[in-house]
Amino acid sequence: MRNLGQEKQLTNVLAAGLFIISVFVSTEGLSDPVNVPKLLLLGIFSCAALGCLVSSKFNFWKNPQTLAILLFLLFSGVSVFRSSSPLTQNLYGEYGRNNGLVAYFFLSILLVVTSQLVKRESHKKILKALLYVGYLNLAYCLWVILFGDFIPWNNPYGNILGTFGNPNFIGAFLGIFITALTAYVVQPGISWKYRGLALITVAIGLFEIQKSHAVQGLVVSAAGFSIIGFYFIRSKFKSNLILAGYTIAVAILGFISLLGALQKGPLTSFIYKTSVSLRGEYWQAGWNMASQFPFTGVGMDAYGDWYRRARDSQALILPGPETVTNAA
């Protein structure tokens, strides 16, 4: 954005939205305390951000992101029109998911809006909002582990949920959080006192990821630390040989880890879980849907309506004939 004052205003809206949407839950009068209020807030803040961009007289038609998003929304609209699932489901998504056209429309607005931020200070402010969300969830999850949950919601998982209502979501988010925090404190000019506190925070974060039993949290953390290591080594050593050696070592370790997830290699007992095989069947069902409807799909958040018809025969063995899912 050319006007720095307008960019500052837009950044404030985005940073506030990031924090409030991420941490807000409501158990009063709602059967879904997480997704419904977050979808409402997403709409409010995305429209507010769009208003900031419109007031700056931004030319949407010269922006390549706008054209790409319009194409995405066009295909999404065709998918909704062609879908045999209920219109309300296509618009608002499956109960407990809310990944319908409305959610993707608001997220598309955010993509176009955030692509216009150019100042380093803007990116740092949004990063700090993300870190504040992480600290709050870190404290909340630690309280739940030590004393129990004070939010009166139904928790069928028995694991920590954070403010995302799902152990997989909080595990993945904590991986993002500790990665962002590590990247922030390894930069030059940060005192060792803050780096020490960050080290303790990262240790607590990894402990909570383990308590969430979410493999994706560990995967996100490992990938994040690997990327940070790459740029840290590149900034410290002029020799490309050291950087190449590091990259090859990470690639080999990543490959062995992938084999472990597929029940092969020495890391199988540490990495593999039955849920990996289950996801393989879910992915296969999704692939079958995409093959049958390559241009229109089955509708927004309509995966659950088609799972039984699209699953392979081996899915009747594992996860079994009675097991279904509504998550793409």
Side-chain angles (χ1 to χ4, degrees), residues 141-261:
C141 291
L142 191 59
W143 180 277
V144 172
I145 292 170
L146 295 176
F147 307 108
D149 205 333
F150 54 82
I151 296 181
W153 52 19
N154 181 26
N155 181 0
Y157 306 101
N159 304 331
I160 58 172
L161 303 178
T163 59
F164 300 94
N166 185 296
N168 292 322
F169 297 170
I170 186 60
F173 174 77
L174 288 173
I176 295 172
F177 164 63
I178 63 177
T179 298
L181 178 62
T182 303
Y184 188 78
V185 298
V186 297
Q187 66 179 318
I190 303 296
S191 72
W192 285 103
K193 179 179 69 174
Y194 289 114
R195 288 176 178 172
L197 291 173
L199 183 62
I200 297 172
T201 302
V202 169
I204 296 173
L206 290 172
F207 168 72
E208 292 183 359
I209 289 174
Q210 189 273 328
K211 285 293 184 180
S212 73
H213 303 292
V215 176
Q216 49 265 69
L218 297 175
V219 172
V220 169
S221 302
F225 292 150
S226 299
I227 295 171
I228 293 170
F230 176 87
Y231 286 105
F232 182 78
I233 291 174
R234 195 178 74 166
S235 69
K236 294 295 182 181
F237 302 96
K238 293 182 179 180
S239 172
N240 289 330
L241 237 115
I242 298 175
L243 188 61
Y246 171 83
T247 304
I248 292 171
V250 169
I252 293 173
L253 184 59
F255 181 70
I256 295 174
S257 300
L258 179 61
L259 289 178

Side-chain angles (χ1 to χ4, degrees), residues 266-293:
L267 298 181
T268 298
S269 60
F270 299 100
I271 296 178
Y272 175 75
K273 287 188 175 183
T274 306
S275 61
V276 176
S277 297
L278 303 186
R279 283 181 171 85
E281 293 301 334
Y282 301 150
W283 295 336
Q284 184 62 54
W287 178 264
N288 294 341
M289 294 177 210
S291 301
Q292 189 174 352
F293 303 96

Side-chain angles (χ1 to χ4, degrees), residues 16-82:
L18 188 158
F19 180 82
I20 295 173
I21 294 169
S22 299
V23 304
F24 187 80
V25 296
S26 175
T27 57
E28 295 298 323
L30 294 174
S31 58
D32 183 350
V34 178
N35 296 284
V36 172
K38 288 186 188 299
L39 180 62
L40 174 63
L41 290 169
L42 174 65
I44 292 172
F45 279 99
S46 63
C47 290
L50 180 62
C52 292
L53 198 60
V54 170
S55 67
S56 68
K57 299 180 180 179
F58 172 71
N59 191 335
F60 287 90
W61 305 113
K62 289 185 178 180
N63 182 41
Q65 286 90 351
T66 302
L67 300 178
I69 285 298
L70 287 176
L71 189 62
F72 166 74
L73 292 175
L74 173 64
F75 273 94
S76 299
V78 170
S79 182
V80 169
F81 177 75
R82 298 280 298 174

